[in-house]
Protein backbone atom coordinates (compact mmCIF):
# COMPACT_ATOMS: atom_id res chain seq x y z
CA UNK A 1 0.00 0.00 0.00
CA UNK A 2 1.37 3.44 -0.87
CA UNK A 3 1.51 6.03 1.89
CA UNK A 4 -0.87 8.33 0.06
CA UNK A 5 -3.42 5.56 -0.27
CA UNK A 6 -3.15 4.57 3.39
CA UNK A 7 -5.60 5.76 6.01
CA UNK A 8 -4.72 9.35 6.95
CA UNK A 9 -6.23 10.02 10.36
CA UNK A 10 -6.33 13.34 12.22
CA UNK A 11 -5.83 15.53 9.14
CA UNK A 12 -7.31 19.05 8.89
CA UNK A 13 -10.27 19.74 6.64
CA UNK A 14 -8.48 22.36 4.56
CA UNK A 15 -11.10 24.59 2.85
CA UNK A 16 -9.17 25.04 -0.42
CA UNK A 17 -7.01 22.13 -1.64
CA UNK A 18 -5.38 24.36 -4.25
CA UNK A 19 -3.88 26.54 -1.49
CA UNK A 20 -2.50 23.40 0.21
CA UNK A 21 -0.75 22.41 -3.00
CA UNK A 22 0.73 25.90 -3.32
CA UNK A 23 2.02 25.86 0.29
CA UNK A 24 3.49 22.38 -0.08
CA UNK A 25 5.38 23.44 -3.20
CA UNK A 26 6.87 26.38 -1.28
CA UNK A 27 7.90 24.11 1.58
CA UNK A 28 9.54 21.64 -0.78
CA UNK A 29 12.19 24.15 -1.89
CA UNK A 30 13.02 25.59 1.54
CA UNK A 31 16.27 24.49 3.22
CA UNK A 32 16.19 21.56 5.65
CA UNK A 33 15.59 22.38 9.29
CA UNK A 34 17.93 19.60 10.43
CA UNK A 35 20.55 17.52 8.64
CA UNK A 36 20.60 13.80 7.97
CA UNK A 37 23.96 13.44 9.69
CA UNK A 38 22.48 14.92 12.89
CA UNK A 39 19.61 12.42 12.69
CA UNK A 40 22.14 9.60 12.36
CA UNK A 41 24.05 10.92 15.38
CA UNK A 42 20.86 10.88 17.46
CA UNK A 43 20.10 7.38 16.22
CA UNK A 44 23.48 6.22 17.48
CA UNK A 45 22.79 7.82 20.88
CA UNK A 46 19.38 6.14 21.05
CA UNK A 47 21.11 2.86 20.27
CA UNK A 48 22.98 3.40 23.53
CA UNK A 49 19.64 3.96 25.27
CA UNK A 50 18.28 0.70 23.85
CA UNK A 51 21.38 -1.16 25.13
CA UNK A 52 21.09 0.32 28.61
CA UNK A 53 24.14 2.55 28.17
CA UNK A 54 22.30 5.89 28.25
CA UNK A 55 19.03 7.47 29.39
CA UNK A 56 16.70 9.64 27.29
CA UNK A 57 15.20 12.89 28.53
CA UNK A 58 12.61 14.22 26.09
CA UNK A 59 10.48 17.19 27.04
CA UNK A 60 8.85 20.43 26.07
CA UNK A 61 5.49 22.00 25.34
CA UNK A 62 2.34 20.04 24.77
CA UNK A 63 1.73 22.31 21.78
CA UNK A 64 4.03 25.13 20.78
CA UNK A 65 2.38 28.41 19.83
CA UNK A 66 3.64 31.18 17.62
CA UNK A 67 3.07 33.87 20.24
CA UNK A 68 5.09 31.99 22.87
CA UNK A 69 8.03 31.08 20.60
CA UNK A 70 10.09 33.88 22.11
CA UNK A 71 13.77 33.93 23.02
CA UNK A 72 12.98 34.00 26.75
CA UNK A 73 10.52 31.10 26.60
CA UNK A 74 12.87 28.98 24.50
CA UNK A 75 15.78 29.75 26.83
CA UNK A 76 13.78 28.81 29.92
CA UNK A 77 12.67 25.48 28.41
CA UNK A 78 16.28 24.66 27.52
CA UNK A 79 17.44 25.65 31.01
CA UNK A 80 14.84 23.35 32.57
CA UNK A 81 15.89 20.41 30.40
CA UNK A 82 19.57 21.02 31.16
CA UNK A 83 18.91 21.27 34.89
CA UNK A 84 16.98 18.00 34.82
CA UNK A 85 19.72 16.34 32.79
CA UNK A 86 22.42 17.18 35.36
CA UNK A 87 20.40 15.56 38.15
CA UNK A 88 19.51 12.52 36.05
CA UNK A 89 23.15 12.05 35.04
CA UNK A 90 24.05 11.80 38.71
CA UNK A 91 21.30 9.25 39.35
CA UNK A 92 21.81 7.12 36.26
CA UNK A 93 25.60 7.34 36.08
CA UNK A 94 25.23 7.12 32.30
CA UNK A 95 24.99 9.84 29.62
CA UNK A 96 21.65 11.61 29.24
CA UNK A 97 20.41 11.99 25.67
CA UNK A 98 18.56 15.31 25.52
CA UNK A 99 15.67 15.80 23.06
CA UNK A 100 13.22 18.69 23.06
CA UNK A 101 9.58 18.68 22.07
CA UNK A 102 10.54 21.83 20.25
CA UNK A 103 10.78 23.53 16.84
CA UNK A 104 7.84 21.70 15.25
CA UNK A 105 5.34 20.61 17.93
CA UNK A 106 2.64 22.92 16.58
CA UNK A 107 -0.11 20.37 15.83
CA UNK A 108 -2.21 18.18 18.09
CA UNK A 109 -4.59 15.26 17.47
CA UNK A 110 -8.09 15.71 18.86
CA UNK A 111 -10.68 13.23 20.09
CA UNK A 112 -13.52 15.17 18.43
CA UNK A 113 -13.54 17.35 15.31
CA UNK A 114 -15.67 20.17 16.72
CA UNK A 115 -16.13 22.22 19.88
CA UNK A 116 -19.44 23.69 21.06
CA UNK A 117 -19.82 26.69 23.34
CA UNK A 118 -23.13 28.38 24.20
CA UNK A 119 -24.83 26.64 21.29
CA UNK A 120 -22.13 27.63 18.77
CA UNK A 121 -20.17 24.78 17.10
CA UNK A 122 -16.80 25.42 15.46
CA UNK A 123 -13.85 23.26 14.37
CA UNK A 124 -11.69 22.04 17.25
CA UNK A 125 -8.36 23.76 17.84
CA UNK A 126 -5.71 21.50 16.27
CA UNK A 127 -2.65 23.57 17.11
CA UNK A 128 -1.24 26.74 15.62
CA UNK A 129 -0.11 24.79 12.56
CA UNK A 130 -3.78 24.44 11.59
CA UNK A 131 -5.97 27.11 13.20
CA UNK A 132 -6.21 29.58 16.06
CA UNK A 133 -7.19 29.08 19.69
CA UNK A 134 -9.70 31.96 19.76
CA UNK A 135 -13.27 30.68 19.56
CA UNK A 136 -14.34 32.50 16.40
CA UNK A 137 -15.23 31.18 12.97
CA UNK A 138 -12.33 33.06 11.39
CA UNK A 139 -9.77 31.81 13.88
CA UNK A 140 -10.94 28.20 13.86
CA UNK A 141 -11.01 27.84 10.06
CA UNK A 142 -8.01 25.68 9.04
CA UNK A 143 -5.45 27.74 7.13
CA UNK A 144 -2.64 25.92 5.26
CA UNK A 145 -0.60 29.15 5.13
CA UNK A 146 0.11 28.45 8.80
CA UNK A 147 2.39 25.58 7.72
CA UNK A 148 4.81 28.13 6.31
CA UNK A 149 4.78 29.96 9.62
CA UNK A 150 5.52 26.64 11.38
CA UNK A 151 8.59 26.23 9.21
CA UNK A 152 9.92 29.74 9.81
CA UNK A 153 9.19 29.65 13.55
CA UNK A 154 10.92 26.27 13.81
CA UNK A 155 13.95 27.58 11.93
CA UNK A 156 14.24 30.56 14.28
CA UNK A 157 13.82 28.30 17.32
CA UNK A 158 16.52 25.89 16.16
CA UNK A 159 18.85 28.81 15.57
CA UNK A 160 18.36 29.90 19.18
CA UNK A 161 18.72 26.34 20.49
CA UNK A 162 22.09 25.97 18.78
CA UNK A 163 23.23 29.37 20.04
CA UNK A 164 22.18 28.68 23.63
CA UNK A 165 23.59 25.14 23.83
CA UNK A 166 26.90 26.03 22.22
CA UNK A 167 27.36 29.56 23.56
CA UNK A 168 27.67 29.22 27.32
CA UNK A 169 24.13 28.64 28.61
CA UNK A 170 24.83 24.90 28.89
CA UNK A 171 27.96 25.23 31.06
CA UNK A 172 27.62 22.39 33.56
CA UNK A 173 28.80 24.46 36.53
CA UNK A 174 26.29 27.20 35.81
CA UNK A 175 23.45 24.69 35.39
CA UNK A 176 24.33 23.08 38.70
CA UNK A 177 24.29 26.47 40.43
CA UNK A 178 20.69 26.91 39.22
CA UNK A 179 19.80 23.55 40.76
CA UNK A 180 21.40 24.58 44.04
CA UNK A 181 19.12 27.61 44.04
CA UNK A 182 16.10 25.38 43.41
CA UNK A 183 17.04 23.03 46.25
CA UNK A 184 17.57 25.90 48.68
CA UNK A 185 14.15 27.39 47.92
CA UNK A 186 12.19 24.13 47.68
CA UNK A 187 9.99 22.97 50.55
CA UNK A 188 11.47 19.51 49.94
CA UNK A 189 15.07 20.81 50.04
CA UNK A 190 16.25 18.41 52.74
CA UNK A 191 15.41 15.45 50.53
CA UNK A 192 17.44 16.79 47.63
CA UNK A 193 20.30 18.69 49.25
CA UNK A 194 22.41 15.55 49.78
CA UNK A 195 22.29 14.77 46.07
CA UNK A 196 23.00 18.39 45.15
CA UNK A 197 25.93 18.46 47.57
CA UNK A 198 27.36 15.26 46.09
CA UNK A 199 27.18 16.74 42.57
CA UNK A 200 28.89 19.87 43.87
CA UNK A 201 31.73 17.83 45.36
CA UNK A 202 32.19 15.87 42.14
CA UNK A 203 32.44 19.08 40.12
CA UNK A 204 34.83 20.65 42.63
CA UNK A 205 37.06 17.57 42.51
CA UNK A 206 37.24 17.61 38.70
CA UNK A 207 37.97 21.34 38.70
CA UNK A 208 40.76 20.84 41.24
CA UNK A 209 42.24 18.16 38.98
CA UNK A 210 42.20 20.59 36.05
CA UNK A 211 39.50 18.64 34.23
CA UNK A 212 37.62 20.98 31.87
CA UNK A 213 36.32 19.00 28.89
CA UNK A 214 34.28 20.52 26.09
CA UNK A 215 31.32 18.47 27.34
CA UNK A 216 31.21 20.70 30.43
CA UNK A 217 30.51 23.77 28.31
CA UNK A 218 28.29 22.61 25.43
CA UNK A 219 25.60 19.99 24.88
CA UNK A 220 23.76 18.39 21.99
CA UNK A 221 20.02 19.07 22.18
CA UNK A 222 18.00 17.39 19.46
CA UNK A 223 14.54 18.35 18.18
CA UNK A 224 11.42 16.20 17.93
CA UNK A 225 7.71 16.43 17.31
CA UNK A 226 4.73 14.27 16.50
CA UNK A 227 4.68 13.78 12.72
CA UNK A 228 0.97 14.50 12.53
CA UNK A 229 0.36 16.78 9.54
CA UNK A 230 1.23 14.69 6.51
CA UNK A 231 1.33 17.60 4.05
CA UNK A 232 4.06 19.28 6.13
CA UNK A 233 6.09 16.12 6.79
CA UNK A 234 5.97 14.99 3.15
CA UNK A 235 7.13 18.40 1.95
CA UNK A 236 10.12 18.25 4.29
CA UNK A 237 11.16 14.71 3.38
CA UNK A 238 14.35 14.93 1.36
CA UNK A 239 16.92 12.57 -0.15
CA UNK A 240 20.26 12.76 1.66
CA UNK A 241 23.09 13.55 -0.78
CA UNK A 242 25.54 11.39 1.22
CA UNK A 243 23.56 8.18 1.26
CA UNK A 244 20.75 8.59 -1.25
CA UNK A 245 18.25 7.75 1.53
CA UNK A 246 15.14 9.73 2.53
CA UNK A 247 15.02 11.72 5.79
CA UNK A 248 12.29 13.86 7.29
CA UNK A 249 14.32 17.03 7.83
CA UNK A 250 11.64 18.76 9.91
CA UNK A 251 13.15 17.24 13.10
CA UNK A 252 15.81 14.84 14.27
CA UNK A 253 13.25 12.45 15.75
CA UNK A 254 9.60 12.08 14.78
CA UNK A 255 6.98 10.06 16.56
CA UNK A 256 3.63 8.47 15.76
CA UNK A 257 0.91 9.01 18.33
CA UNK A 258 -1.48 6.62 20.03
CA UNK A 259 -4.33 7.81 17.78
CA UNK A 260 -2.40 7.36 14.52
CA UNK A 261 -0.35 4.19 15.06
CA UNK A 262 -2.57 1.92 12.94
CA UNK A 263 -0.28 -0.44 11.05
CA UNK A 264 -2.05 0.31 7.75
CA UNK A 265 -2.22 4.04 8.46
CA UNK A 266 -0.45 6.83 6.64
CA UNK A 267 1.55 7.90 9.69
CA UNK A 268 3.19 4.52 10.18
CA UNK A 269 3.82 4.38 6.44
CA UNK A 270 5.51 7.78 6.58
CA UNK A 271 7.68 6.75 9.54
CA UNK A 272 8.66 3.54 7.75
CA UNK A 273 9.72 5.47 4.66
CA UNK A 274 12.31 7.75 6.31
CA UNK A 275 15.62 6.98 8.00
CA UNK A 276 15.27 9.22 11.06
CA UNK A 277 15.02 7.63 14.47
CA UNK A 278 11.28 7.17 15.08
CA UNK A 279 9.10 6.55 18.11
CA UNK A 280 5.58 5.23 18.64
CA UNK A 281 3.27 5.97 21.57
CA UNK A 282 1.70 2.83 23.08
CA UNK A 283 -1.41 3.12 25.24
CA UNK A 284 -2.93 0.54 27.61
CA UNK A 285 -5.00 -1.13 24.89
CA UNK A 286 -1.93 -2.01 22.79
CA UNK A 287 -1.58 -5.75 22.22
CA UNK A 288 1.73 -7.61 21.99
CA UNK A 289 0.85 -8.52 18.41
CA UNK A 290 0.43 -4.84 17.50
CA UNK A 291 3.75 -3.96 19.11
CA UNK A 292 5.55 -6.78 17.26
CA UNK A 293 3.92 -5.76 13.97
CA UNK A 294 5.18 -2.20 14.50
CA UNK A 295 8.69 -3.53 15.13
CA UNK A 296 8.57 -5.51 11.89
CA UNK A 297 7.20 -2.52 9.95
CA UNK A 298 9.42 0.22 11.34
CA UNK A 299 12.68 -1.57 12.10
CA UNK A 300 12.89 -4.72 9.96
CA UNK A 301 16.71 -4.65 10.03
CA UNK A 302 16.81 -4.33 13.84
CA UNK A 303 18.94 -1.19 13.66
CA UNK A 304 19.85 0.01 17.19
CA UNK A 305 18.35 3.41 17.92
CA UNK A 306 15.92 3.32 15.03
CA UNK A 307 12.79 2.54 17.09
CA UNK A 308 11.64 3.79 20.48
CA UNK A 309 8.43 2.67 22.18
CA UNK A 310 6.92 5.34 24.45
CA UNK A 311 4.44 3.86 26.90
CA UNK A 312 1.60 6.13 28.10
CA UNK A 313 -0.52 3.81 30.18
CA UNK A 314 -1.78 5.84 33.14
CA UNK A 315 -0.55 5.29 36.66
CA UNK A 316 -3.36 2.83 37.41
CA UNK A 317 -2.67 0.66 34.34
CA UNK A 318 1.09 0.68 33.81
CA UNK A 319 1.86 -2.24 36.13
CA UNK A 320 -0.73 -4.43 34.40
CA UNK A 321 -0.54 -3.35 30.75
CA UNK A 322 3.17 -2.76 30.20
CA UNK A 323 4.82 -6.05 31.30
CA UNK A 324 3.41 -8.22 28.52
CA UNK A 325 4.49 -5.71 25.86
CA UNK A 326 8.05 -5.45 27.16
CA UNK A 327 8.25 -9.22 27.68
CA UNK A 328 7.03 -10.15 24.19
CA UNK A 329 9.06 -7.52 22.33
CA UNK A 330 12.21 -8.34 24.30
CA UNK A 331 11.61 -12.04 23.80
CA UNK A 332 11.45 -11.52 20.05
CA UNK A 333 15.04 -10.26 20.12
CA UNK A 334 14.08 -6.78 18.86
CA UNK A 335 16.35 -3.87 19.80
CA UNK A 336 13.92 -1.26 21.12
CA UNK A 337 14.35 1.65 23.54
CA UNK A 338 11.59 1.79 26.17
CA UNK A 339 10.58 5.25 27.38
CA UNK A 340 7.85 6.39 29.79
CA UNK A 341 5.35 9.14 29.01
CA UNK A 342 3.71 9.61 32.44
CA UNK A 343 1.60 12.56 31.31
CA UNK A 344 -1.00 11.55 28.74
CA UNK A 345 -2.55 8.66 30.62
CA UNK A 346 -3.17 10.78 33.72
CA UNK A 347 -5.24 13.69 32.44
CA UNK A 348 -8.63 14.55 33.92
CA UNK A 349 -10.97 17.52 34.13
CA UNK A 350 -10.90 19.69 37.24
CA UNK A 351 -14.26 20.94 38.60
CA UNK A 352 -13.89 24.18 36.62
CA UNK A 353 -13.47 22.22 33.37
CA UNK A 354 -9.73 22.75 32.95
CA UNK A 355 -7.69 19.70 32.01
CA UNK A 356 -5.09 18.88 34.63
CA UNK A 357 -2.84 16.14 36.02
CA UNK A 358 -1.76 15.20 39.52
CA UNK A 359 1.98 15.30 40.10
CA UNK A 360 1.68 12.25 42.35
CA UNK A 361 0.05 10.29 39.49
CA UNK A 362 2.88 11.26 37.17
CA UNK A 363 5.44 10.05 39.71
CA UNK A 364 3.49 6.84 40.32
CA UNK A 365 3.45 5.98 36.62
CA UNK A 366 7.21 6.51 36.40
CA UNK A 367 7.67 4.36 39.48
CA UNK A 368 5.49 1.64 37.95
CA UNK A 369 7.50 1.86 34.72
CA UNK A 370 10.71 1.25 36.69
CA UNK A 371 9.14 -1.59 38.65
CA UNK A 372 8.10 -3.37 35.45
CA UNK A 373 11.57 -3.15 33.96
CA UNK A 374 13.23 -4.18 37.20
CA UNK A 375 11.03 -7.30 37.38
CA UNK A 376 11.80 -8.22 33.75
CA UNK A 377 15.50 -7.38 33.90
CA UNK A 378 15.15 -4.81 31.11
CA UNK A 379 16.29 -1.19 30.84
CA UNK A 380 13.95 1.72 31.66
CA UNK A 381 15.28 3.91 28.90
CA UNK A 382 13.94 7.37 29.57
CA UNK A 383 11.23 9.96 30.14
CA UNK A 384 8.98 11.79 27.68
CA UNK A 385 7.21 14.66 29.43
CA UNK A 386 5.31 17.86 28.78
CA UNK A 387 6.93 20.77 30.59
CA UNK A 388 7.58 24.46 30.51
CA UNK A 389 10.27 26.65 32.02
CA UNK A 390 7.60 28.97 33.41
CA UNK A 391 5.89 28.85 36.81
CA UNK A 392 2.48 27.91 35.45
CA UNK A 393 -0.31 26.38 37.52
CA UNK A 394 -1.55 23.59 35.27
CA UNK A 395 -0.70 20.36 37.14
CA UNK A 396 -1.77 19.72 40.72
CA UNK A 397 0.62 19.01 43.58
CA UNK A 398 4.39 18.93 43.75
CA UNK A 399 6.45 20.66 46.41
CA UNK A 400 4.69 23.93 45.53
CA UNK A 401 1.38 22.42 46.60
CA UNK A 402 -0.73 23.61 43.65
CA UNK A 403 -4.41 22.95 44.38
CA UNK A 404 -7.55 23.06 42.26
CA UNK A 405 -8.26 26.64 43.30
CA UNK A 406 -4.78 27.63 42.06
CA UNK A 407 -5.32 26.40 38.49
CA UNK A 408 -6.77 29.69 37.14
CA UNK A 409 -3.81 31.72 38.40
CA UNK A 410 -1.41 30.86 35.56
CA UNK A 411 -3.15 28.29 33.39
CA UNK A 412 -1.56 29.14 30.04
CA UNK A 413 -1.37 25.97 27.97
CA UNK A 414 -2.99 25.91 24.55
CA UNK A 415 -3.89 22.25 24.95
CA UNK A 416 -2.73 19.84 27.67
CA UNK A 417 -1.40 20.75 31.15
CA UNK A 418 2.39 20.90 31.60
CA UNK A 419 4.70 20.49 34.55
CA UNK A 420 6.10 23.85 35.60
CA UNK A 421 9.77 24.55 36.22
CA UNK A 422 9.72 23.50 39.87
CA UNK A 423 7.68 20.36 39.26
CA UNK A 424 10.01 19.36 36.41
CA UNK A 425 13.08 19.63 38.63
CA UNK A 426 11.35 17.79 41.46
CA UNK A 427 10.52 15.00 38.99
CA UNK A 428 14.20 14.86 37.99
CA UNK A 429 15.35 14.48 41.59
CA UNK A 430 12.79 11.75 42.28
CA UNK A 431 13.68 9.84 39.10
CA UNK A 432 17.37 10.22 39.93
CA UNK A 433 16.64 8.40 43.19
CA UNK A 434 14.92 5.61 41.24
CA UNK A 435 17.87 5.36 38.86
CA UNK A 436 20.33 5.29 41.75
CA UNK A 437 18.41 2.36 43.27
CA UNK A 438 19.14 0.33 40.12
CA UNK A 439 22.88 0.79 40.31
Amino acid sequence: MSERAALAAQQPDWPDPAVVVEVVEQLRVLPPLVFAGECDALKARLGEVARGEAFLLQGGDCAETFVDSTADAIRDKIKTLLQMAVVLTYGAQVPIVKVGRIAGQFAKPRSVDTETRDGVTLPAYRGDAVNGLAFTAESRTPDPQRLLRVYHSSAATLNLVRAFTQGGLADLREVHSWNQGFVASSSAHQRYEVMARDIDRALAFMEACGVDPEEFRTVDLYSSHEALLLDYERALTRTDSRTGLPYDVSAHLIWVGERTRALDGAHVELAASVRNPVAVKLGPTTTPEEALDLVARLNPDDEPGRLTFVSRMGHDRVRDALPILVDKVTGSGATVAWVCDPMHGNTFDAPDGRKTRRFDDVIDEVRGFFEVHRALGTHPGGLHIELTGDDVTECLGGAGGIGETDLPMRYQTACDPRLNHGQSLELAFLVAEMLAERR
Side-chain angles (χ1 to χ4, degrees):
M1 177 186 298
S2 72
E3 188 245 317
R4 292 183 181 276
L7 177 65
Q10 294 286 336
Q11 298 307 289
D13 184 14
W14 301 118
D16 188 344
V19 178
V20 179
V21 172
E22 179 183 333
V23 168
V24 167
E25 289 306 310
Q26 292 181 60
L27 287 169
R28 286 190 191 281
V29 298
L30 290 172
L33 291 172
V34 302
F35 300 103
E38 296 172 334
C39 299
D40 291 341
L42 175 58
K43 191 187 301 181
R45 299 294 308 279
L46 292 172
E48 297 172 359
V49 173
R51 292 190 297 270
E53 301 165 0
F55 190 83
L56 172 66
L57 173 61
Q58 185 174 1
D61 275 315
C62 160
E64 293 176 281
T65 60
F66 298 140
V67 69
D68 288 328
S69 294
T70 64
D72 287 348
I74 294 165
R75 179 202 61 210
D76 290 345
K77 274 184 283 191
I78 294 172
K79 285 177 64 174
T80 302
L81 283 170
L82 295 178
Q83 287 180 264
M84 295 178 72
V86 169
V87 177
L88 292 172
T89 301
Y90 173 83
Q93 297 288 287
V94 296
I96 304 300
V97 181
K98 293 166 279 291
V99 178
R101 289 173 57 109
I102 198 166
Q105 185 59 15
F106 287 95
K108 292 293 291 183
R110 304 315 301 252
S111 55
V112 293
D113 292 332
T114 60
E115 180 183 356
T116 301
R117 299 185 192 176
D118 299 324
V120 177
T121 300
L122 295 174
Y125 173 66
R126 290 185 172 273
D128 275 15
V130 177
N131 54 4
L133 184 59
F135 194 73
T136 66
E138 180 182 9
S139 175
R140 290 297 179 90
T141 300
D143 179 7
Q145 295 287 348
R146 286 174 169 266
L147 298 179
L148 290 169
R149 193 169 177 186
V150 168
Y151 172 90
H152 292 296
S153 180
S154 298
T157 296
L158 286 170
N159 185 52
L160 273 174
V161 168
R162 290 177 174 121
F164 284 142
T165 56
Q166 305 299 316
L169 183 73
D171 188 285
L172 182 60
R173 289 146 296 202
E174 180 69 16
V175 174
H176 178 58
S177 72
W178 301 331
N179 278 345
Q180 288 175 310
F182 164 75
V183 170
S185 62
S186 172
S187 61
H189 71 275
Q190 289 184 332
R191 180 171 186 175
Y192 307 137
E193 66 179 353
V194 173
M195 189 180 300
R197 195 163 54 243
D198 286 349
I199 297 172
D200 192 48
R201 281 199 295 262
L203 289 173
F205 174 76
M206 287 185 282
E207 186 172 356
C209 293
V211 177
D212 187 27
E214 181 68 19
E215 288 79 6
F216 273 24
R217 298 187 298 277
T218 64
V219 299
D220 292 322
L221 177 63
Y222 298 95
S223 67
S224 70
H225 64 256
E226 180 176 358
L228 186 64
L229 300 182
L230 297 170
D231 292 313
Y232 183 77
E233 306 301 334
R234 289 167 178 158
L236 285 167
T237 297
R238 311 286 170 77
T239 299
D240 176 32
S241 60
R242 305 167 308 144
T243 62
L245 297 173
Y247 286 78
D248 184 342
V249 294
S250 68
H252 298 109
L253 179 149
I254 57 172
W255 77 82
V256 177
E258 166 75 354
R259 291 189 176 97
T260 54
R261 62 171 173 79
L263 194 67
D264 60 350
H267 295 84
V268 170
E269 183 69 27
L270 172 71
S273 71
V274 297
R275 300 312 308 154
N276 305 59
V278 298
V280 183
K281 295 284 191 80
L282 303 180
T285 63
T286 309
T287 66
E289 293 74 24
E290 289 172 331
L292 290 170
D293 285 342
L294 286 165
V295 170
R297 186 76 182 89
L298 295 173
N299 195 18
D301 299 326
D302 198 36
E303 182 183 6
R306 160 68 175 168
L307 179 59
T308 297
F309 278 151
V310 183
S311 67
R312 30 96 75 224
M313 303 290 176
H315 76 104
D316 55 344
R317 299 288 303 276
V318 63
R319 293 169 177 86
D320 298 324
L322 183 59
I324 190 171
L325 299 182
V326 177
D327 184 54
K328 294 298 183 182
V329 171
T330 303
S332 75
T335 305
V336 171
W338 290 96
V339 171
C340 177
D341 169 359
M343 308 293 291
H344 285 89
N346 295 306
T347 307
F348 67 97
D349 291 334
D352 67 359
R354 288 180 172 86
K355 289 198 293 185
T356 189
R357 292 154 176 159
R358 293 186 181 89
F359 183 77
D360 286 348
D361 291 346
V362 170
I363 294 300
D364 188 49
E365 178 156 0
V366 177
R367 197 174 300 281
F369 176 78
F370 273 79
E371 290 170 5
V372 167
H373 284 283
R374 182 180 299 112
L376 294 173
T378 50
H379 178 56
L383 294 175
H384 182 133
I385 54 179
E386 293 181 338
L387 61 81
T388 175
D390 298 326
D391 291 323
V392 299
T393 55
E394 298 170 1
C395 291
L396 303 173
I402 295 174
E404 290 179 351
T405 57
D406 299 316
L407 291 177
M409 293 176 57
R410 294 197 67 189
Y411 193 96
Q412 299 174 353
T413 182
C415 194
D416 290 341
R418 304 159 295 175
L419 298 179
N420 63 27
H421 178 254
Q423 290 168 328
S424 299
L425 294 184
E426 186 172 1
L427 171 65
F429 275 98
L430 292 170
V431 173
E433 291 177 352
M434 300 178 205
L435 288 164
E437 291 171 1
R438 291 179 54 85
R439 298 205 306 265

